[in-house]
């Protein structure tokens, strides 16, 4: 008789029971660093004999406080980290958030803490390298499906073993398109799988409130229970986070090796991210960016420049061969525009491209200038090329 596959909730609960039983449960607690090798722990001031701030340089860099001095589970977790986690959880509509060193490490954390041998990770073929590496590292079977093909995702899940993670980028990093998240959430529910969304390029940009592709496509915490974001892109800082239920975050705190065994995010970065979050929420920069994207795409369409369908800041122009992408990039640079050529293995063979990314910082003249330089470099295809999205 076929037993239903283990759910994420069951896996989290059995891991929690086991660590409680073994007295191995660990929790981070906010510790405010003070001069003289001390910390404030709630009401008390303690001498800190657990940090790695051997020369006292992390603490002495006040007011910036350069470093956290230790991993979060030891003494590197400070009130500013806790505040950022609370603010991010509120922003994203999730119960809890776990900060980590980078998006790359966050994706390793999710895969290795949730899945292992006997489990299955199903991913879009164009998922970011860190999602692929996480799946490889955790030892689960990795199955990939054709880009944004939800029916293929369902087929891969149908013959999967163990715990099933259905993993996708929210916004694809080299293509700029948005994953069909609502359909993927339906497939995940039908197949008793857990949807994991890495929205590194969507959070801070998409959605009415800026909370990303999940907000834009109406996925709440139940439909997108594991949400990864980075502080290195729209937030303009560095670091990353994983958002979800309290049980998920507690599990990651205890089992996510790429977070546990690494120095906590610098408090200065957490502070900058808090300031960035306030600006994201306020909305002016997001609206400015959206108008730049529209302006760019309309200008491209008028000039017959064919872009991939994208309404995000990532606006790729596929040239095909490596040499054509390099040559176009060089011509643009000669004209004063820096646009990187992206080639295999970052993108599939035959799809080398210019990855044009727009920012709220660009003014209309710069955008027009780039479009004209593209035309001068021969990047316009047939006049009236279809530009959609
Ligand atoms: C989809 C996606 N996930 C994760 C990352 C990694 O994020 P970070 O730069 O914070 O390591 C990136 C960025 O390169 C990305 O594009």
């Amino acid at each position: 008789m076929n037993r239903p596959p283990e759910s994420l909730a069951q896996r989290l609960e059995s891991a929690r029971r086991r660590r409680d039983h073994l007295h191995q449960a660990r929790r981070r607690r906010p510790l405010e660093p003070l001069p003289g090798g001390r910390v404030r722990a709630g009401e008390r001031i303690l001498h800190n004999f657990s940090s790695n701030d051997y020369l006292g340089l992390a603490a002495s860099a006040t007011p910036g406080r350069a470093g956290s001095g230790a991993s979060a589970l030891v003494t590197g977790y400070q009130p500013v980290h806790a505040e950022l986690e609370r603010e991010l959880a509120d922003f994203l509509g999730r119960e809890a958030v776990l900060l980590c060193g980078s998006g790359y490490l966050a994706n390793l954390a999710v895969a290795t803490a949730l899945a292992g041998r006997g489990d299955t990770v199903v991913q879009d073929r164009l998922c970011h390298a860190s999602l692929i590496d996480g799946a490889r590292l955790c030892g689960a079977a990795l199955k990939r499906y054709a880009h944004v093909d939800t029916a293929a995702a369902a087929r891969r899940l149908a013959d999967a073993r163990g715990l099933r993670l259905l993993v996708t980028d929210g916004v694809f990093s080299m293509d700029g398109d948005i994953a069909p998240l609502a359909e993927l959430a339906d497939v995940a529910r039908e197949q008793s799988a857990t949807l994991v969304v890495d929205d590194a390029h969507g959070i801070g940009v998409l959605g009415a409130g800026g909370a990303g592709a999940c907000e834009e496509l109406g996925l709440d915490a139940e439909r997108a229970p594991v949400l990864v974001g980075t502080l290195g892109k729209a937030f303009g800082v560095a670091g990353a986070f994983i958002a979800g239920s309290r049980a998920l975050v507690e599990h990651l705190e205890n089992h996510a090796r790429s977070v546990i065994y690494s120095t906590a995010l610098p408090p200065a970065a957490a502070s900058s991210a808090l300031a960035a979050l306030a600006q994201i929420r306020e909305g002016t920069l997001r609206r400015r960016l959206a108008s730049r994207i529209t302006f760019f795409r309309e200008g491209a369409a008028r000039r017959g420049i064919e872009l991939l369908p994208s309404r995000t800041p990532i606006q790729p122009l596929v040239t095909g061969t490596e040499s054509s992408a390099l040559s176009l990039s060089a011509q643009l640079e000669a004209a004063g525009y820096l646009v990187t050529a992206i080639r295999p293995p970052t993108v599939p063979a035959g799809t080398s491209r210019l990855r044009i990314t727009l920012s709220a910082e660009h003014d209309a003249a710069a955008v027009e200038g780039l479009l004209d330089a593209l035309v001068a470099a021969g990047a316009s295809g047939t006049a009236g090329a279809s530009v959609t999205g």
Side-chain angles (χ1 to χ4, degrees):
M1 207 176 63
N2 272 349
R3 279 190 299 136
E6 185 183 5
S7 71
L8 180 66
Q10 288 166 328
R11 169 124 342 155
L12 299 186
E13 179 55 19
S14 62
R16 188 191 63 74
R17 281 215 209 97
R18 182 176 155 75
R19 56 178 190 263
D20 283 351
H21 176 70
L22 296 172
H23 304 285
Q24 288 181 350
R26 293 174 289 183
R27 290 305 297 267
R28 298 164 304 156
R29 60 171 178 166
L31 300 170
E32 183 193 343
L34 298 172
R38 295 170 311 153
V39 288
R40 189 188 312 279
E43 302 290 293
R44 303 191 59 208
I45 291 180
L46 305 171
H47 296 280
N48 181 3
F49 282 94
S50 285
S51 99
N52 303 320
D53 182 20
Y54 303 124
L55 302 180
L57 292 174
S60 76
T62 41
R65 283 220 190 89
S68 59
S71 91
L73 273 175
V74 182
T75 64
Y77 188 64
Q78 300 180 12
V80 68
H81 296 116
E83 186 186 351
L84 177 58
E85 289 183 344
R86 277 193 305 275
E87 289 290 324
L88 284 169
D90 177 62
F91 173 58
L92 299 167
R94 300 299 190 270
E95 273 179 12
V97 157
L98 180 84
L99 292 175
C100 41
S102 72
Y104 188 95
L105 294 171
N107 285 330
L108 298 193
V110 166
T112 58
L114 300 186
R117 207 165 294 158
D119 298 327
T120 308
V121 176
V122 173
Q123 289 190 357
D124 188 292
R125 193 163 281 289
L126 296 190
C127 272
H128 188 256
S130 55
L131 293 167
I132 299 171
D133 292 357
R136 286 182 179 149
L137 185 62
C138 79
L142 171 59
K143 299 179 178 210
R144 301 170 81 195
Y145 58 89
H147 184 49
V148 301
D149 184 343
T150 11
R155 286 196 298 276
R156 298 283 177 284
L157 284 168
D159 52 36
R161 293 177 306 138
L163 184 90
R164 297 148 187 213
L165 298 182
L166 174 56
V167 177
T168 183
D169 290 22
V171 173
F172 287 89
S173 55
M174 296 299 137
D175 291 65
D177 56 337
I178 303 171
L181 293 176
E183 292 82 353
L184 289 171
D186 290 343
V187 166
R189 188 174 46 209
E190 284 154 19
Q191 305 278 346
S192 309
T194 298
L195 181 63
V196 175
V197 180
D198 171 1
D199 202 17
H201 296 275
I203 294 173
V205 171
L206 298 176
C214 289
E215 183 193 15
E216 180 145 327
L217 300 177
L219 271 73
D220 58 10
E222 197 195 323
R223 307 250 293 149
V226 184
L227 177 59
V228 175
T230 175
L231 301 171
K233 304 189 194 297
F235 282 75
V237 190
F241 54 87
I242 304 159
S245 67
R246 232 176 283 292
L248 174 80
V249 166
E250 205 175 297
H251 182 89
L252 293 168
E253 255 180 318
N254 280 276
H255 302 284
R257 295 165 64 88
S258 60
V259 180
I260 296 170
Y261 299 108
S262 191
T263 301
L265 200 66
S271 226
S272 301
L274 272 169
L277 180 55
Q279 282 194 282
I280 287 169
R281 292 184 111 157
E282 190 275 330
T284 305
L285 297 177
R286 287 189 286 116
R287 284 190 291 277
R288 191 177 302 159
L289 170 64
S291 82
R292 291 296 173 268
I293 295 170
T294 307
F295 184 70
F296 174 76
R297 287 193 69 87
E298 287 174 358
R302 267 199 309 280
R303 291 167 174 84
I305 299 170
E306 276 191 74
L307 301 163
L308 289 185
S310 160
R311 54 195 174 83
T312 69
I314 302 165
Q315 295 288 329
L317 192 160
V318 174
T319 64
T321 62
E322 286 86 338
S323 55
S324 59
L326 286 171
S327 146
L328 198 48
S329 172
Q331 290 177 75
L332 292 176
E333 182 153 346
Y337 300 91
L338 185 61
V339 185
T340 316
I342 306 284
R343 293 161 287 156
T346 306
V347 291
T351 71
S352 287
R353 65 196 64 186
L354 293 183
R355 180 176 180 269
I356 300 164
T357 54
L358 296 169
S359 160
E361 282 280 284
H362 293 133
D363 62 20
V367 175
E368 290 267 13
L370 170 63
L371 288 164
D372 290 341
L374 280 165
V375 172
S380 50
T382 50
S386 82
V387 178
T388 53

